[in-house]
Each structure stands twice: as structure tokens, then as C-alpha cells.
Amino acid sequence: MKFFFLVSILAFNVFAQEKQDHQIILLNGGAELLSNQPRYYENIKAMYEAFRSNSLPSNHITVLYGSGQVQDTAQGNEALPVLTPLKPVELKLEPPKLLASTSALGSYKPKTESLFKVEPLPEIKLTSFKAPTEPQRVYSNKELFNGEERELDGEAKKEKIKAKIAELKTKLKPGDDLTLFITDHGDRDEEKQMSEVNLWGEKISTAELGEILKEIPETSQIRIITNICYGGGLTELTSKNICVFSNQESQNPSYSENKDVDLYAQNFAYALKNRLDADYNGTSTYLDAHEYAVSLDNKRNRAKNSLDWFLDKHKDKFQKAKTSADLVCEEPNQNSSSLDELSSTLNSIKKQTHSEITEERKKFLTGRLQQKLTPFINSSPEEKLEELEKKISDVKKTMETAANDWDALPEAEKTNQTEKHNSESEALKKQLTALETEEFHLKKLELELNFIKNADESLISEYENIRKCLEYAY
């Protein structure tokens, strides 16, 4: 009994030590007051709670937030400066004593009294508009940290990030982990073809961030989670000890639900907090949290992680049976439904699932992939496509009907038809967006299956290393 007790104590201490060896940096760049959206505050709050709920000590979580003051968070429209309404200026007309010449207005300087006597304009003052139906929110450290009494660790500046990484360089031991969560506005430098992260009053490029993170020894793994515009560009930092999760690919801005909610970040944090096992393999991992968040994210966001980056980078090495035009895992054309191409992708996935992957390679069909393949094993892709095609066709027919005999319609009916047309157009646009996003994810799945089927052993080894980094069991 005493032996069992000692073993239990030892196991608990080892578990606690593993937890303490995990360091977290939560970064909200904010950019500036009017851009520091409430949803960034909520994302930091949710992530902090998720890690604390998993027994991570508070002093192992560094929070770099905007200006360094949570009060500098935007209040939505309430924070926008507006002009004080001006009173009309009274013009007093008096008889002229001397008529001016016909020179251009503004260039003539009268030698006698002006034709008009104009009273001076009142002083213009900037004030903060307060919406009468929405009281101004009070942000506080205590609320941000879910009732805990602690302070922020500083502002979101390059020097602060460098200083923290330099500090962690001396603390992290071989096998220790670092997670960097970034919520903010992202940008893209088109000239350098590189994503950027907005910090408070400055930016940091993907290359600059990579140079800073190189200070961490390769014996420690770094995982980056982003909910920013163009965040997929950070997957270029993927290396021996770095892997990346992003809710949006590198070419597009990220879409939130409103000023308060980022679905990806919130659901990623929810999955971490509640230890969700998205692929039902008995282990809760970061990749589970990513897949769960993606399944609930805005359909206009197309998530990418380091595996997607790796497969896309090396696609020419294993897509032997395809033409160069088919070697794509790219964003679909948002101006077309791509139904024929989606049909080809669906049938390719089903074919590979049934016959083309050898028994030896099937060991790489992880729980994550098997779950994604399940809908294709006992169902027909054609049936799904027919359903989608019918929905889109019905909407198009309704829109065409509304356009017939337009000139003969009464004005009131034209107004009704216009409103109906606009509503149906919006519904069609959403259906097409959802379809294109589904196509995007299915292409990624097809690419991964082709990789498992055709890649050589050296590529498989790199693939497995990245997958293991993403599948961190926290």
C-alpha cells in the first residue's frame, strides 16, 4: 500500500512537472485603439482560461496585450470620434461701399469693408459618441484573467517578444514546449509575398518572427496558433521544431462573426479547455482542437496548418499520375461553383479509400483521416453533388423568373421583385461559398491521400514529424 502511494505521488509529480515545462505566450497586437477589437480581448480571455483549466501555472503564461492596458480596447462604434454639430453661421448683408473687381474669388483682397460681415466659426471639439442603447463596456485585468489577481506582462511590441524569447531560451530544457497564440489584425506584404502581424503601433513580418523564434533550441517544440488575416502565411515557419495552426490561408483576410466573436479562436479554446477528442482515438491534442474549430468556423475562412503547407510544397514529388494543371491544393475560384471539379475530387477520394492505398501504407490513415473518409465509404459522392446542384439550380431559376417581362411589371412589383432577387442572390452566394470551402478542404484530403499512397520514405518521415508536432497531447 505504501509502495502504491509512493508511486502515485511520483506519477503526480512527473505529471505536474510536465505541465510546468509548458510555456505559453498569448499575444494581442491590437495595432491601435480603434482597431483593438473586443474579440481580441475575448480570445485572450478564452485561451488563458483553457490553459489554466488544464493545470498550467499562471506564471507560465505570458500575456502581451496591445498598449499594455486592457482599457485600450475598442468599444466598437462608441470609440469613434465625431464632430460636434455646428450651428448655422448668420450672414449679415450690408450695402456695398465699393464694388470689387471681377478677379477670381479668393485672389481678390478688398481695399474697403467686405461685402459680408461673417461671424467667426465656433470651435470644433472632438467627443466620444456613446450609443444610448449600448452602455460602454468596462475592461479589466481581473475579468480578462477570469477572476485571478494578476497583471499583463507588457505591451505587444517586438522588443517585448524578443525579451521574452531570450528569457525562455534559458528556462526551456530539452523536451519542453512553447505555445504562441496570436490574435490581431494580419497584413500581407505583396512585394515580399509574406504575411505580417500587427503589433501595437508596428508590424512584425513572418521572417522577423522566425528569426526571433530561432533563439529557442530545436530541442524544444514551438506551436503557433493564429486567428488573424492572412495567417496561413505563418506556416512558412514550419521546421524541425515549429508547427503552425491558422484559421485562414495566406491570400485572404480572416472573417469574424462580429466585433466580439472569432469562431475559430473561441472553439479552439473551448476544445482545449474541455479536452475534446475530435477523432475519437482516446487522446486530446492540439490537432483535435484545430479540427473541431475548423468544423464550426465561418465558411469564408479556409484553415491551413503545417501539414497542409508541407503537402502543398512537395506535391510535385508524389502526384505522379496527374498533369501539372491538376497539381493543386489551392483556393478555389470564388466566382464559380466548380461542381465538375468537386465531382472529380470526391470520386478520387472514394476510389483511393476503397482500393489504391496499400496495406503497408494504411497505418498512416490516422483517426483524423479515417473520420474524414467515413462519409465516402458507404455513400455515393454523386448523390451529394446532385443535391447541391439542385439547390443552386432552383435559386437560379427563381432569379431568372423574376427577370422575365421586367418592363411590364408595375413599379411596386418591381420593388418587391428587386428585394426578392437581392435576398435570393445573397442565399445563392452563401451556398456557393460553402460549396467552394468544402471543395477546398476535400482537395486537401485528396492531396494527403495521394501523399500516403505515393510518397517516398524520406518524405513520409518529415510528414510524420510534422503530424506529431501538431498532435501535441497537452
Side-chain angles (χ1 to χ4, degrees):
M1 185 65 181
K2 287 183 179 179
F3 176 75
F4 175 77
F5 179 75
L6 289 172
V7 170
S8 299
I9 292 294
L10 179 61
F12 175 79
N13 286 337
V14 170
F15 177 78
Q17 182 62 37
E18 289 176 348
K19 290 290 183 184
Q20 290 183 356
D21 288 344
H22 187 186
Q23 295 283 339
I24 310 289
I25 299 176
L26 305 180
L27 175 66
N28 165 30
E32 59 181 3
L33 175 59
L34 298 184
S35 300
N36 194 15
Q37 296 296 329
R39 62 180 180 270
Y40 306 149
Y41 177 93
E42 295 297 336
N43 293 343
I44 296 293
K45 179 180 178 182
M47 283 291 181
Y48 184 83
E49 182 180 12
F51 288 115
R52 291 290 287 126
S53 296
N54 281 282
S55 304
L56 197 74
S58 177
N59 62 357
H60 282 248
I61 306 175
T62 300
V63 183
L64 302 178
Y65 188 100
S67 67
Q69 301 291 328
V70 294
Q71 291 78 11
D72 287 340
T73 303
Q75 295 285 342
N77 290 332
E78 298 171 9
L80 297 175
V82 296
L83 296 179
T84 303
L86 297 178
K87 294 181 180 179
V89 178
E90 182 183 358
L91 298 180
K92 296 181 179 179
L93 183 63
E94 292 186 356
K97 294 185 178 180
L98 179 65
L99 290 176
S101 68
T102 57
S103 59
L105 183 63
S107 63
Y108 170 68
K109 186 176 182 180
K111 297 180 180 179
T112 61
E113 294 184 24
S114 173
L115 187 64
F116 298 106
K117 285 188 176 180
V118 182
E119 294 184 354
L121 292 173
E123 182 184 356
I124 298 175
K125 296 180 180 179
L126 291 177
T127 61
S128 293
F129 171 73
K130 293 184 180 180
T133 58
E134 187 177 347
Q136 189 167 5
R137 180 171 179 180
V138 177
Y139 297 97
S140 69
N141 288 349
K142 190 168 184 178
E143 183 192 45
L144 182 69
F145 297 122
N146 300 287
E148 293 182 21
E149 297 287 352
R150 65 160 286 178
E151 299 295 322
L152 296 172
D153 295 283
E155 57 187 342
K157 291 279 194 179
K158 290 181 191 178
E159 292 307 315
K160 286 287 185 180
I161 298 173
K162 290 179 181 177
K164 188 61 191 180
I165 295 300
E167 176 191 333
L168 293 179
K169 179 182 178 181
T170 64
K171 285 185 176 181
L172 293 171
K173 302 181 295 297
D176 291 352
D177 298 284
L178 169 63
T179 295
L180 169 60
F181 170 68
I182 304 173
T183 178
D184 193 8
H185 298 280
D187 277 323
R188 183 165 177 82
D189 186 327
E190 291 299 339
E191 184 178 342
K192 295 181 179 179
Q193 291 292 293
M194 188 180 297
S195 295
E196 300 173 313
V197 177
N198 280 276
L199 301 177
W200 191 256
E202 60 186 23
K203 296 180 182 181
I204 185 169
S205 68
T206 299
E208 288 176 308
L209 181 59
E211 285 299 314
I212 295 173
L213 294 178
K214 279 183 181 178
E215 293 296 312
I216 300 294
E218 288 189 350
T219 53
S220 290
Q221 288 196 317
I222 303 171
R223 296 170 183 87
I224 304 172
I225 307 164
T226 76
N227 197 132
I228 60 174
C229 296
Y230 314 103
L234 270 67
T235 57
E236 294 174 13
L237 296 176
T238 301
S239 63
K240 182 179 178 181
N241 69 319
I242 298 177
C243 57
V244 181
F245 302 89
S246 174
N247 78 311
Q248 180 62 297
E249 52 86 34
S250 61
Q251 301 295 326
N252 286 330
S254 176
Y255 296 94
S256 60
E257 294 306 288
N258 53 55
K259 68 179 184 179
D260 293 316
V261 178
D262 278 322
L263 284 177
Y264 178 80
Q266 289 294 316
N267 285 311
F268 199 111
Y270 177 87
L272 291 180
K273 178 183 176 181
N274 294 281
R275 303 188 66 80
L276 296 187
D277 179 11
D279 56 11
Y280 303 104
N281 68 350
T283 307
S284 301
T285 71
Y286 275 29
L287 193 53
D288 285 326
H290 172 77
E291 295 289 355
Y292 176 77
V294 169
S295 71
L296 298 172
D297 198 6
N298 190 305
K299 294 301 181 185
R300 293 179 292 177
N301 292 325
R302 291 167 178 154
K304 282 201 168 185
N305 59 40
S306 287
L307 263 188
D308 303 321
W309 170 85
F310 173 80
L311 294 170
D312 193 56
K313 179 182 179 182
H314 296 290
K315 56 179 177 266
D316 292 328
K317 297 179 182 178
F318 59 85
Q319 289 276 44
K320 300 173 184 177
K322 298 240 177 182
T323 66
S324 59
D326 293 325
L327 299 179
V328 291
C329 177
E330 60 188 18
E331 298 68 44
N333 181 359
Q334 296 189 34
N335 297 318
S336 72
S337 59
S338 307
L339 286 170
D340 291 338
E341 193 171 357
L342 179 56
S343 176
S344 174
T345 302
L346 286 166
N347 282 301
S348 171
I349 290 171
K350 185 174 182 179
K351 184 179 179 182
Q352 291 183 65
T353 305
H354 282 269
S355 61
E356 292 192 358
I357 297 177
T358 65
E359 288 299 320
E360 181 184 359
R361 288 293 175 91
K362 282 183 179 177
K363 65 184 178 183
F364 298 113
L365 295 176
T366 61
R368 170 181 61 88
L369 285 172
Q370 289 175 12
Q371 188 179 29
K372 289 184 176 183
L373 291 170
T374 299
F376 304 104
I377 295 175
N378 298 314
S379 65
S380 168
E382 290 80 1
E383 291 177 4
K384 190 171 188 179
L385 282 169
E386 287 174 7
E387 181 183 349
L388 290 167
E389 286 178 318
K390 185 177 185 309
K391 285 181 181 179
I392 293 172
S393 176
D394 288 346
V395 176
K396 285 182 176 178
K397 284 178 181 177
T398 305
M399 292 165 62
E400 289 169 2
T401 301
N404 292 337
D405 302 319
W406 180 259
D407 293 334
L409 292 175
E411 288 303 318
E413 184 60 22
K414 285 183 179 180
T415 300
N416 290 337
Q417 290 289 354
T418 300
E419 291 176 355
K420 184 179 180 183
H421 171 84
N422 290 341
S423 175
E424 289 165 349
S425 295
E426 189 63 30
L428 176 61
K429 189 186 298 183
K430 288 181 179 178
Q431 289 182 27
L432 292 179
T433 298
L435 176 63
E436 289 161 358
T437 301
E438 184 172 1
E439 177 189 355
F440 172 75
H441 289 298
L442 288 172
K443 277 182 173 292
K444 291 199 300 181
L445 175 59
E446 181 192 26
L447 193 67
E448 193 163 6
L449 292 175
N450 272 310
F451 175 85
I452 290 172
K453 181 177 70 174
N454 297 321
D456 61 33
E457 292 302 321
S458 63
L459 280 179
I460 287 284
S461 177
E462 288 185 61
Y463 165 90
E464 283 292 280
N465 286 336
I466 295 173
R467 183 184 65 78
K468 288 175 182 177
C469 180
L470 295 171
E471 289 190 339
Y472 173 59
Y474 54 96

